Structures are given as C-alpha cells and as structure tokens.
Amino acid sequence: MQVTYWLEHAWLDPAVEPGVVLTVSAGSSGTDGRITEVRTGTGTPPPGAVVLRGLTVPGLANAHSHAFHRALRGTVQVGSGTFWTWREVMYQVASRLTPDTYHALARAVYAEMALAGITSVGEFHYVHHAPGGTPYADPNAMGEALVAAAADAGIRITLLDTAYLSSGFGAAPDRHQLRFSDGTADAWAERVSRLKEGDGARIGAAIHSVRAVPADQLATVAAWAAERGAPLHVHLSEQTAENDACLAAHGRTPTELLAEHGVLGPRTTGVHNTHLTEHDIALLGSSATGTCMCPTTERDLADGIGPAVALQRAGSPLSLGSDSHAVVDLLEEARAMELNERLRSRTRGHWTAAALLRAATADGHAALGWGEAGRLERGALADFTTIALDSVRTAGPVPRLAAETAVFAASAADVRHTVVGGHQVVKDGVHRSVPDVARALADSIAALRG
C-alpha cells in the first residue's frame, strides 16, 4: 500500500527543506517499505497525508549496543572506580540472564530506542550460553531472543555475534566469561552459521577485543565475515591497560595486531578507538576501517576522549553508539563528539550539524550493513524520525537552523514520531506496540534483580 507523509521540515542532506512530501510503499506489516517519491516546496499537506510537524531526519542508527547493560543504569553511579570495577558489576547482571529475561529486557530497551528516534541497532552480543558455559538446547537461543525483541519493538537489528574466547592474552575465560565462550573460533563460526537473517534482521560478526580472541584465531572470525560480506566490529583500544598487555604479549598495538591478521577493512568498525598511536590512526584510515564513538559511555566509564577528528581526516568513517546505555540518546552522542573535541582542543566547530547527523544516520547504517537506509531519498528504506521544534529545548531558532537546533539542543525526549519501513512505530511520543515503555523497563530489570 502507498502511504503519504507530509514533513513540515525535513533534513535532506545537507540542508533543511520546508514542506516535503514523502510517498512510501509500505506492506501491511514488516520493515521492507521504501520511499518512492520525494517532493519539496509543498506549502500545505496533501489530502490524506500523515502530517509530521517538526524536523524529520533519517532514522538514527545505534551502531553499538549491549542491551543488558541498560539494567546497570543508576546502580553503577555509587562510589568511585574505573572501567574494571564497573565490569565486575556488569558480570553480575550478565550471570542472571536467560533467553526469556533477556527477551523481555531487550524488547523494552529497543522500544526505548524507538522512542529516541533509533530505527536500527547494532547489538554487540556475547552472552551466548547458560551460566557455566553449557549451551542451550538451541545454541543460539540468546541471539534469537534479541532478534525477536527488536522485531517486537519495531526496529531493525544487526546481531553482531561476538567471539569471546579468553580472559586475557594466553588466559582461559574466568568463571564470569564461561557463558560467553564457544571454546574456539571454529566452534564460534559453526554456531553463528546457524543464525538466519530475516525481515528487519541481519547477522554480522564481532571480535570482542584482542585480549578476548587469541591472535591465531582472529583470521577465522574475519574470514567468516568476509565470506558473507557481513559487518565485523571490534572493541579497540578502549583501555590503556589492554594496549600495554598487547604490547607485552605481541610487541605491537592492538590495531597493528588486527592489521597483521587481516581484520581491518571497509566492512570493519573499531568501537571506541580511544588510545591510538599516529601509526594506528594511519592504519585505520588507509584501510577505511570505521570508527564507532560512544561518547556518553566513554565519559561515564572515564575511558578518555578518542581522536575522532584525526581518524576521520585519515579516512575512517564515523558512527555513533549508546553502548552501555548510560543514556539512550543519539542526539546527545552526536553533540558530545563535537563538545568533547572542543574541550580537548579548546577550539569550536570541528563538525557541522550536517556532518554529525550523517554519523548518526547514513554512516551508522552503513556500519551495520544497512546501506540502503539513512537517507530521505527515492529508493531508500522508509525509516525516519521527527524531532519537535516547539519544546522548551528547541523553540525559538529559525527553521533554516533546525538541524543545528536538533543536534545541539534537542534530546531524545523531543522525538515525536518514528517510522520504520513506512509504518509508524512511535506516534506522538507513544510506542504503538509497547505503550508503557517505562513499566516494561522497570519490570524486566526487577526480574533480573530477583
């Protein structure tokens, strides 16, 4: 069926246009709807059009998520510590997950994302087995629970099934990590090959980190992704301790180790890329390896500020993720990348609003293997979101500066509508299939806490 949307203002990269008509082919269900026509300069809504007032942008892509980390929000803000002390609390939550409780939590988390204008998520998934490492009767029960949760919440998912085989260089998994491990990269590949893509779901691969996958098994994971043309993600140089351990074990940085084993390339995204040498930056840029920045998590965990400007100049495309979900707000991630750089450099204006929106939309979707999403143009997937321009945060500026207003002032609370595949998932700030997202989050987190 055909659906017509009238957009009061639309960001048609790189400019904002008033009065835009989008015609969408949308089936009775599913996420395969496409934009069939884009018309600008229409001062009034055509008869029968769905009116979206505010600024409509392509759907936002959350390129890095650990859904179960949402249960940590608030609880990890007590006391002091580092990433490594935070990790111990995270392990406690991971130990309580089952396929059913993970589905309930992820459904609520993905619904929260839809409320924030996110239409695609890259789920960096490594909780594969039962506690102790025993596989479930269905070895992919946990991953399939995540795929089902995304479908229930009405957003797309790239399940980045993660190889996690050791606790450190040359060390076996510890008791917390046993349920993450398949034993070997070959066993990981055999299990992941059973996962099936479906409507709104794609399967990618991930290397948890160079400390978690032995060097002689990195190529196995990279080859699996290459054979399928699938995205490949990896946590990279998030912590200086990992860099130091890698240098001690292999005499090279994590980036150099990945390059040596064929992991880098245009389908690969390094997540964080925080503590890099100039040679690391050159390797990532020259190979067109992407960079996913997660500023709200990186500041929450006191990780540091990554060299995003230098990486982009070297040739590394930028995307954004909410990672541990300290907040779920891709607009905040976008402006935080710019504002972090201002603090570090003491100069302003490293990215335009258009460039930051591009990282949050088209480049994020590309990093997740959804290259046909992230643009408001004919033939693109009909995924878009509308941000209010009349809230206490966004009221005032002239419409031609709507993109700047959205990026530098709006928040997830200003999202009014989210459309995926031509269907309204969020209407007037209410999720249509999960009407009380706050209750769903509270109930699913309470179930984990017992």
Side-chain angles (χ1 to χ4, degrees):
M1 70 180 175
Q2 294 284 334
V3 180
T4 299
Y5 290 92
W6 183 79
L7 318 179
E8 185 180 28
H9 302 282
W11 181 66
L12 304 180
D13 188 7
V16 172
E17 296 284 348
V20 175
V21 170
L22 290 187
T23 304
V24 170
S25 64
S28 58
S29 63
T31 57
D32 59 348
R34 301 265 176 168
I35 298 171
T36 57
E37 183 183 16
V38 181
R39 283 192 286 126
T40 59
T42 60
T44 57
V50 178
V51 175
L52 303 182
R53 296 203 177 273
L55 173 67
T56 297
V57 303
L60 306 177
N62 189 351
H64 189 66
S65 163
H66 302 291
F68 77 91
H69 289 191
R70 175 62 178 81
L72 299 171
R73 187 182 295 178
T75 64
V76 290
Q77 304 306 332
V78 179
S80 60
T82 65
F83 166 87
W84 304 102
T85 52
W86 168 90
R87 190 175 72 159
E88 291 304 310
V89 181
M90 180 269 288
Y91 282 156
Q92 293 172 24
V93 174
S95 70
R96 302 186 189 111
L97 293 169
T98 68
D100 288 341
T101 59
Y102 206 2
H103 173 269
L105 175 60
R107 174 178 176 267
V109 174
Y110 297 153
E112 181 182 4
M113 291 183 192
L115 290 176
I118 292 164
T119 57
S120 295
V121 61
E123 184 60 40
F124 199 103
H125 165 56
Y126 55 82
V127 186
H128 301 306
H129 307 299
T134 302
Y136 290 102
D138 174 357
N140 286 307
M142 295 292 269
E144 289 166 356
L146 292 166
V147 171
D152 290 347
I155 69 172
R156 303 182 193 280
I157 186 171
T158 298
L159 187 70
L160 298 162
D161 196 290
T162 305
Y164 195 134
L165 307 173
S166 65
S167 61
F169 298 95
D174 66 24
R175 62 186 180 86
H176 300 293
Q177 299 160 343
L178 288 172
R179 69 181 312 191
F180 307 162
S181 178
D182 292 293
T184 67
D186 285 333
W188 167 86
E190 181 180 354
R191 177 183 56 76
V192 178
S193 295
R194 301 179 191 176
L195 283 164
K196 303 298 182 186
E197 297 190 341
D199 187 23
R202 292 182 178 169
I203 307 301
I207 292 164
H208 180 273
S209 55
V210 292
R211 71 177 184 274
V213 177
D216 61 0
Q217 298 186 61
L218 292 169
T220 299
V221 183
W224 186 94
E227 288 166 4
R228 292 157 179 79
L232 174 62
H233 289 215
V234 55
H235 289 135
L236 181 56
S237 287
E238 182 179 5
Q239 296 292 321
T240 55
E242 180 181 274
N243 289 358
D244 294 343
C246 188
L247 284 166
H250 297 288
R252 48 188 54 75
T253 68
T255 302
E256 291 167 340
L257 188 67
L258 294 175
E260 185 176 87
H261 291 275
V263 175
L264 304 185
R267 284 180 300 93
T268 300
T269 297
V271 181
H272 304 302
N273 291 0
T274 307
H275 303 286
L276 303 177
T277 67
E278 289 186 4
H279 185 232
D280 292 340
I281 293 170
L283 284 172
L284 293 167
S286 63
S287 62
T289 299
T291 294
C292 179
M293 289 291 181
C294 306
T296 65
T297 292
E298 289 151 4
R299 71 192 185 199
D300 185 59
L301 299 182
D303 286 344
I305 300 171
V309 170
L311 283 160
Q312 188 170 54
R313 286 176 179 166
S316 178
L318 300 178
S319 56
L320 298 163
S322 64
D323 192 0
S324 69
H325 314 311
V327 296
V328 173
D329 190 338
L330 261 287
L331 298 172
E332 173 64 19
E333 303 293 347
R335 70 171 155 266
M337 189 163 68
E338 165 68 22
L339 299 181
N340 282 353
E341 192 63 29
R342 292 182 186 186
L343 286 173
R344 182 168 65 174
S345 66
R346 291 180 287 175
T347 59
R348 303 174 77 234
H350 303 279
W351 291 277
T352 64
L356 293 170
L357 280 174
R358 207 169 294 127
T361 58
D363 289 344
H365 284 99
L368 298 178
W370 294 98
E372 66 272 53
R375 301 177 305 282
L376 298 181
E377 62 183 40
R378 184 176 180 179
L381 287 168
D383 299 356
F384 41 93
T385 189
T386 304
I387 302 159
L389 295 177
D390 57 359
S391 76
V392 294
R393 288 166 292 278
T394 59
V398 296
R400 67 181 176 81
L401 297 177
E404 285 74 12
T405 301
V407 171
F408 289 103
S411 76
D414 296 309
V415 170
R416 292 292 177 266
H417 311 285
T418 301
V419 176
V420 179
H423 298 278
Q424 279 192 278
V425 176
V426 173
K427 182 178 181 181
D428 296 322
V430 177
H431 198 288
R432 302 187 79 174
S433 63
V434 189
D436 192 342
V437 177
R439 173 52 58 191
L441 285 163
D443 288 348
S444 59
I445 291 170
L448 280 180
R449 292 177 178 167

